[in-house]
Every structure is written in structure tokens, then in C-alpha cells.
């Protein structure tokens, strides 16, 4: 028992320092936390007291305001100096930028003028007086080219690198040079535009239909029907734009048949589409019978009939061979679905009407009222232009056409002579 107690005391004796140390650490930690919290509170109190003291002490407040003002002034001065420096830099750069911009713009104007000059010279080279409604525009363009050449001959554009002190002068020089180039370009544009307009006017005039005449036909019942014929001159089959314009002026609202469509009705298929000529025309029939009307129950069927002043063939003076021209006529009727083309392949040269010789009928009308038409028609003659006839075969170009109006119930032997409309289309 004594030994046991002695052992317990030894154990307690050994454990006691650890317990004491642990307790001491906890107490110190608690003390440190307390001191830290108190220190923070003290610092806050000191700051509050200092702030209140500064607010209550006018001298301290004044010093603070003065210091703030000084800092503000310093900032303003620094910002102002920066702005002033930037402005000064921009002012220094402005003459350089102005010169570079003026020079660049001048170079662009020079390039645009030279392109327009090239276009003007090309126009002069390709345009003939016969292409224009008014040939004076060729002279005007030529004069404009010469005048511009004089004005621009001694023009110089300053080099890119210039002395700073010369920038204002060289900028003004660029601006003046640009004005000359722009003025010359505008002059050439105006002259070229006048030529193009005159070309269009010539084409438009060439596509006009000329009234060839008016005549009256009478049927066996005594109905009198007037017909009015209009045609163009012969148009080169390659000039499709002019043919289309003429076709529209002939009273249609749709496109004409193409030359390919027309030539497919020829017996000779292997022909050059651009070597022929086309005559575009229109005819209108009007009932002139007093007190008698034409209606759906009293129809009339007049037709337009063409012959030529030549026989069925003629002699080619160059080849000494007999030549017979073939033609195709196309009637352009309008129905509910639009275009309704009627093709008729005929020999071109025909003897006088009703003599038994060949002729061709481009228009066959069906009148169900007192007026019919205008109705368009085309006569196509191939192979008029060739190496032997670069200006067109005179047999066709100088051909006189005779246009007759007939009603199917009228016969030549009844003693009624029908006057024809005679005309020579010529080459337009």
C-alpha cells in the first residue's frame, strides 16, 4: 500500500507540469486576444478623437483644405500641360496631315482624269458622224481633249517629303492642281455623255416608223376600208436593239421574234444571222363606210399584200449569175396569251399584184369592229451583206416595195383598181 501510494504520487508529480503549462497557454491566449481587441478599440478611439480634434481645431482644418487645394491645382496644371502639349502636337502635325491629304486627293484626281481621257480618245476613234443624230458632238469632244491636254501639260504634283516651312505652299499647289484635273475630267465626261446621248437619239430616230401612205380598198358589197402603212428603213439584222425598239413602236407590247426563230423558216438554214436586213412595219385597218358597221356578226378580212418592182429573179452584176432572194415575213398578232407569230416564207421578188406572179402577205386581219390594229410585222432578208457587198446588196437596199390592201372577196377583174402604196425603204 505504501508503495502504491508512492507510485501514484510520482505519476501525479510527472503530470502536474503539463497541466500547468496547458493552463498557462490558454490563459496567455485569452489575455492576448483581450489585449488585441483593446488595442483596436484604442486605435479607433484615437482616430475618432483626432478627427474630432481636426474638425474642432480651425487651424488643422485650414491646413487640410490648403493641402487639398494645392493638390487640386497641381493636378489641374499637370492635366492642362498635357492638353496643351497634345494641342501643340496636333497643331504641329496639322500642316503635315493637310499636305498628305491634299496630295493623295490630287493623285486620285489625276488618275481619274487619265482614265476619262483614255475613254474620250477611244470614243473618238470608234465613233463616226453617221452614228450620231448631231455630228457636232464629235468636234466638241475633240476640242475638249485638246484643251485638257494643254491645261494639264505642265501640271506637277509635289513630292511626298517636303520641308515643314513649305507645307502650306505645297498644299495650296496640290489643291489648285486637283481643281484643274477635276475640271478637265468633268469637261470630258460632259462631251462623252453628249455623244452617247446623240447615238441613242440616232438609234431611236432610226427605229421610228415612217408613214408610207394611206389607201382605201372596197369589197363587192361596197364596204370601204382604209389601211395605213408605216415602216422603218431596212435595219441590219445584227442591230437587235433597234429592231426591238421599232417592234415596240409598231404597236406591240411584247418582244419581237429573234433572228434565229425567223431564219428557221427559211429553206436555206446555213446562213449568217448578222448578214441580213429587217424591215419592221405596222398596218391599221379602219372602216370608212357611211352608216354601215363591221361587227362580230359582220366580219371583214382585209389583208396587206406586198410585191416588188423586180421580177422573180435578177442578175447579180458581180457574179453574172441569176439570184433569187428568199424572205420571211412575220406577223405579230396579240391574243390573250401574248405573242402569236405567223411566219410566211416567200420569194422576195414578185411581179405586179394579180398577174399570177409570186407575192407575200405579212398581215391577214379579222375585223370584228370598225378598227383593227396597229399590227406589227417583220420582213427578213438574209445575206444582204457579204465580201462582195460590204455596204449591202443594192438589189435589196434600193428595192421598191408595193403595198396593196385587199379583201378576200375582191377580184381584180371586177373593174375596181386598188392603188398601191409604193416606197423604197433604203438602208437606215
Amino acid at each position: 500500500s505504501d508503495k502504491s501510494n508512492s507510485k501514484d504520487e510520482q505519476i501525479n508529480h510527472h503530470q502536474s507540469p503539463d497541466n500547468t503549462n496547458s493552463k498557462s497557454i490558454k490563459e496567455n491566449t485569452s489575455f492576448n486576444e483581450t489585449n488585441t481587441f483593446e488595442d483596436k478599440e484604442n486605435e479607433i478611439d484615437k482616430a475618432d478623437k483626432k478627427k474630432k480634434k481636426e474638425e474642432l481645431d480651425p487651424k488643422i482644418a485650414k491646413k487640410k483644405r490648403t493641402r487639398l487645394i494645392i493638390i487640386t491645382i497641381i493636378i489641374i496644371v499637370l492635366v492642362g500641360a498635357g492638353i496643351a502639349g497634345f494641342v501643340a502636337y496636333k497643331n504641329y502635325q496639322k500642316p503635315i496631315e493637310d499636305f498628305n491629304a491634299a496630295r493623295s486627293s490630287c493623285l486620285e484626281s489625276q488618275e481619274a482624269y487619265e482614265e476619262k481621257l483614255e475613254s474620250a480618245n477611244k470614243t473618238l476613234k470608234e465613233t463616226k458622224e453617221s452614228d450620231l443624230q448631231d455630228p457636232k458632238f464629235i468636234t466638241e469632244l475633240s476640242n475638249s481633249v485638246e484643251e485638257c491636254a494643254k491645261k494639264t501639260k505642265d501640271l506637277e504634283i509635289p513630292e511626298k517629303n517636303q520641308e515643314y516651312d513649305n507645307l502650306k505652299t505645297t498644299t495650296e499647289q496640290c489643291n489648285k492642281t486637283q481643281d484643274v484635273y477635276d475640271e478637265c475630267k468633268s469637261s470630258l465626261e460632259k462631251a462623252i455623255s453628249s455623244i452617247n446621248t446623240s447615238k441613242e437619239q440616232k438609234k431611236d430616230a432610226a427605229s421610228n416608223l415612217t408613214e408610207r401612205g394611206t389607201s382605201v380598198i372596197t369589197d363587192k358589197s361596197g364596204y370601204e376600208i382604209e389601211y395605213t402603212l408605216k415602216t422603218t428603213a431596212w435595219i441590219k439584222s445584227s442591230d437587235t436593239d433597234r429592231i426591238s425598239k421599232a417592234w415596240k413602236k409598231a404597236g406591240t407590247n411584247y418582244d419581237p421574234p429573234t433572228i434565229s426563230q425567223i431564219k428557221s423558216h427559211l429553206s436555206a438554214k446555213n446562213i449568217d444571222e448578222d448578214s441580213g436586213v429587217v424591215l419592221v412595219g405596222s398596218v391599221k385597218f379602219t372602216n370608212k363606210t357611211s352608216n354601215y358597221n363591221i361587227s362580230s356578226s359582220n366580219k371583214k378580212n382585209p389583208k396587206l399584200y406586198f410585191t416588188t418592182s423586180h421580177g422573180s429573179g435578177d442578175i447579180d452584176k458581180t457574179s453574172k449569175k441569176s439570184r433569187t432572194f428568199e424572205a420571211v415575213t412575220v406577223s405579230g398578232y396579240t391574243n390573250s396569251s401574248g405573242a402569236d407569230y405567223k411566219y410566211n416564207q416567200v420569194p422576195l421578188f414578185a411581179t405586179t399584184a394579180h398577174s399570177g406572179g409570186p407575192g407575200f402577205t405579212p398581215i391577214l386581219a379579222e375585223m370584228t369592229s370598225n378598227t383593227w390594229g396597229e399590227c406589227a410585222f417583220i420582213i427578213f432578208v438574209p445575206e444582204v451583206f457579204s465580201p462582195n457587198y460590204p455596204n449591202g446588196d443594192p438589189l435589196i437596199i434600193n428595192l421598191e416595195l408595193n403595198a396593196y390592201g385587199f379583201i378576200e372577196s375582191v377580184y381584180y377583174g371586177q373593174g375596181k383598181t386598188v392603188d398601191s402604196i409604193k416606197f423604197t425603204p433604203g438602208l437606215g
Side-chain angles (χ1 to χ4, degrees):
S1 175
D2 292 337
K3 287 180 181 179
S4 177
N5 290 334
S6 175
K7 189 176 183 180
D8 289 338
E9 287 176 3
Q10 288 177 359
I11 291 170
N12 290 334
H13 175 76
H14 285 295
Q15 288 180 346
S16 178
D18 290 340
N19 291 336
T20 303
N21 289 339
S22 175
K23 184 178 180 181
S24 175
I25 290 169
K26 289 181 180 179
E27 288 175 356
N28 288 338
T29 301
S30 175
F31 176 78
N32 289 337
E33 288 177 354
T34 302
N35 287 346
T36 300
F37 178 75
E38 290 177 354
D39 289 343
K40 288 182 179 178
E41 283 187 338
N42 291 334
E43 288 177 2
I44 294 170
D45 290 340
K46 288 179 180 179
D48 289 341
K49 289 177 181 179
K50 184 178 180 182
K51 185 176 181 181
K52 288 179 180 180
K53 184 178 180 182
E54 288 176 352
E55 290 175 353
L56 295 174
D57 191 337
K59 291 181 179 180
I60 295 175
K62 185 177 180 180
K63 286 181 180 180
K64 188 175 181 180
R65 286 195 302 270
T66 303
R67 186 166 57 251
L68 182 61
I69 292 170
I70 291 171
I71 292 171
T72 304
I73 292 172
I74 291 172
I75 292 172
I76 293 172
V77 169
L78 292 174
V79 171
I83 293 173
F86 178 76
V87 171
Y89 173 77
K90 291 298 290 182
N91 288 337
Y92 177 81
Q93 286 292 110
K94 190 174 186 309
I96 301 174
E97 292 172 355
D98 290 346
F99 168 72
N100 289 336
R103 185 175 182 278
S104 176
S105 183
C106 188
L107 288 170
E108 290 176 3
S109 293
Q110 180 191 38
E111 183 179 358
Y113 159 73
E114 289 173 350
E115 288 178 359
K116 193 58 63 177
L117 179 62
E118 183 180 352
S119 175
N121 286 323
K122 183 180 179 182
T123 301
L124 286 173
K125 184 178 179 180
E126 296 177 350
T127 305
K128 298 178 291 187
E129 289 189 355
S130 58
D131 295 334
L132 305 182
Q133 184 75 1
D134 191 343
K136 73 176 184 181
F137 293 116
I138 291 180
T139 304
E140 288 186 3
L141 178 57
S142 179
N143 291 340
S144 182
V145 168
E146 291 179 6
E147 186 67 24
C148 288
K150 291 178 183 178
K151 289 182 177 180
T152 59
K153 180 181 178 182
D154 298 323
L155 289 181
E156 292 183 0
I157 299 177
E159 294 296 328
K160 189 170 185 180
N161 297 320
Q162 294 288 325
E163 294 291 335
Y164 186 84
D165 294 340
N166 296 332
L167 288 176
K168 183 178 180 181
T169 303
T170 50
T171 299
E172 291 174 354
Q173 181 184 345
C174 285
N175 291 333
K176 289 178 181 178
T177 301
Q178 181 181 356
D179 289 343
V180 176
Y181 280 129
D182 289 345
E183 179 186 346
C184 288
K185 174 177 171 286
S186 177
S187 174
L188 294 176
E189 279 180 341
K190 184 178 178 181
I192 293 172
S193 176
S194 296
I195 281 186
N196 291 335
T197 300
S198 190
K199 282 182 180 179
E200 290 302 314
Q201 289 173 344
K202 180 67 178 284
K203 284 184 178 180
D204 191 62
S207 65
N208 288 340
L209 278 69
T210 301
E211 185 171 318
R212 302 300 182 179
T214 299
S215 189
V216 176
I217 51 179
T218 307
D219 78 348
K220 65 181 181 180
S221 302
Y223 278 88
E224 295 182 345
I225 299 175
E226 178 185 82
Y227 65 97
T228 302
L229 174 67
K230 299 177 182 178
T231 77
T232 62
W234 291 112
I235 302 172
K236 291 182 179 180
S237 57
S238 58
D239 196 346
T240 55
D241 181 57
R242 186 175 158 198
I243 293 170
S244 181
K245 286 182 178 180
W247 180 259
K248 295 292 178 67
K249 292 178 181 180
T252 62
N253 56 4
Y254 50 90
D255 293 331
T258 65
I259 301 300
S260 294
Q261 289 173 317
I262 296 174
K263 87 166 188 179
S264 66
H265 293 269
L266 290 168
S267 58
K269 308 296 184 185
N270 188 25
I271 62 168
D272 179 8
E273 294 182 8
D274 294 339
S275 68
V277 290
V278 167
L279 185 78
V280 180
S282 73
V283 65
K284 181 178 181 180
F285 293 101
T286 306
N287 179 26
K288 292 294 183 179
T289 312
S290 299
N291 303 320
Y292 289 89
N293 295 319
I294 297 174
S295 63
S296 57
S297 59
N298 183 32
K299 299 177 182 179
K300 297 295 176 183
N301 298 103
K303 61 182 178 180
L304 183 68
Y305 192 95
F306 276 101
T307 63
T308 69
S309 59
H310 295 287
S312 59
D314 210 314
I315 300 298
D316 183 336
K317 302 295 190 301
T318 302
S319 64
K320 305 297 183 184
K321 295 179 180 178
S322 177
R323 303 175 69 227
T324 300
F325 284 84
E326 187 180 49
V328 174
T329 62
V330 187
S331 304
Y333 299 95
T334 303
N335 56 28
S336 57
S337 61
D340 182 14
Y341 304 124
K342 302 296 183 185
Y343 295 91
N344 183 23
Q345 179 229 321
V346 295
L348 184 61
F349 294 129
T351 55
T352 346
H354 305 291
S355 65
F360 50 95
T361 309
I363 296 292
L364 176 60
E366 182 176 318
M367 295 183 70
T368 57
S369 65
N370 287 329
T371 60
W372 187 92
E374 298 180 314
C375 183
F377 65 88
I378 280 177
I379 301 173
F380 170 62
V381 184
E383 298 182 328
V384 176
F385 293 88
S386 66
N388 287 335
Y389 300 107
N391 297 319
D393 193 323
L395 287 176
I396 303 301
I397 303 304
N398 301 324
L399 184 66
E400 182 180 71
L401 293 176
N402 308 313
Y404 294 83
F406 283 98
I407 298 181
E408 291 181 352
S409 60
V410 175
Y411 297 93
Y412 182 75
Q414 293 181 332
K416 297 272 187 175
T417 302
V418 181
D419 295 329
S420 69
I421 299 173
K422 297 183 179 183
F423 64 100
T424 301
L427 183 64

